[in-house]
Amino acid sequence: MTRIGLLSDTHGYLDPQIFNYLKECKEIWHAGDFGNRQLAEELEQQSGLPLRGVYGNIDGYDIRSVYPEENIFNCEDLRVYMKHIGGYPGRYAPGVKARIQQTGSRLFISGHSHILKIQYDPALQCLHMNPGAAGKQG
């Protein structure tokens, strides 16, 4: 099983302690609001791990030119859909429920709320995960 370091909403701040938690990981996923490209580069370089991500509402061109608004990919045999502003089961952001259905995703990752939330949506057969905020805000 692939171990993932899941982050969101760093807002330009990267706590050095985070690297202790990433030692056992094979990849890092960032669900948006990096804050700046320097943070993303530092995360990749210091961890030595591949970084997947999406841009968030505070991210400028430096992040938006590298990371997409939504990221759809497979991890092992699981279809993953990641978008910064996504809501959660019962209160998805506009269009998100339809995209989960269209893509056949079984794992939906979002950020934005700064609230850690893990919730299964039985109607979509999809697990929603929001890692909360890893920066100083939230």
Side-chain angles (χ1 to χ4, degrees):
M1 179 179 286
T2 305
R3 188 174 293 221
I4 308 297
L6 182 59
L7 303 170
S8 183
D9 296 276
T10 45
H11 291 262
Y13 174 76
L14 189 58
D15 188 326
Q17 294 281 20
I18 197 81
F19 296 102
N20 294 329
Y21 297 102
L22 298 174
K23 287 179 183 174
E24 303 290 322
C25 296
K26 299 293 182 206
E27 293 183 13
I28 302 169
W29 299 352
H30 196 298
D33 280 359
F34 286 88
N36 57 61
R37 180 70 184 129
Q38 182 181 352
L39 182 139
E41 290 170 356
E42 183 180 349
L43 194 54
E44 281 183 295
Q45 289 169 0
Q46 286 199 30
S47 70
L49 299 172
L51 174 62
R52 295 181 189 261
V54 293
Y55 69 74
N57 56 297
I58 71 139
D59 291 319
Y61 179 76
D62 61 334
I63 291 293
R64 291 174 187 238
S65 65
V66 176
Y67 298 98
E69 180 179 11
E70 58 181 19
N71 198 339
I72 301 161
F73 56 93
N74 288 335
C75 180
E76 296 181 8
D77 292 329
L78 187 69
R79 189 72 157 166
V80 180
Y81 173 43
M82 186 185 317
K83 182 174 180 161
H84 181 63
I85 300 177
Y88 53 89
R91 294 187 57 109
Y92 290 111
V96 168
K97 182 177 179 179
R99 286 296 281 157
I100 291 170
Q101 292 171 318
Q102 287 171 348
T103 61
S105 298
R106 294 295 169 247
L107 177 58
F108 174 56
I109 308 288
S110 69
H112 189 62
S113 71
H114 295 201
I115 299 169
L116 170 65
K117 186 176 279 197
I118 301 169
Q119 186 177 356
Y120 185 70
D121 185 339
L124 298 179
Q125 297 180 329
C126 185
L127 180 65
H128 167 255
M129 296 178 74
N130 183 325
K136 290 183 179 180
Q137 302 172 0

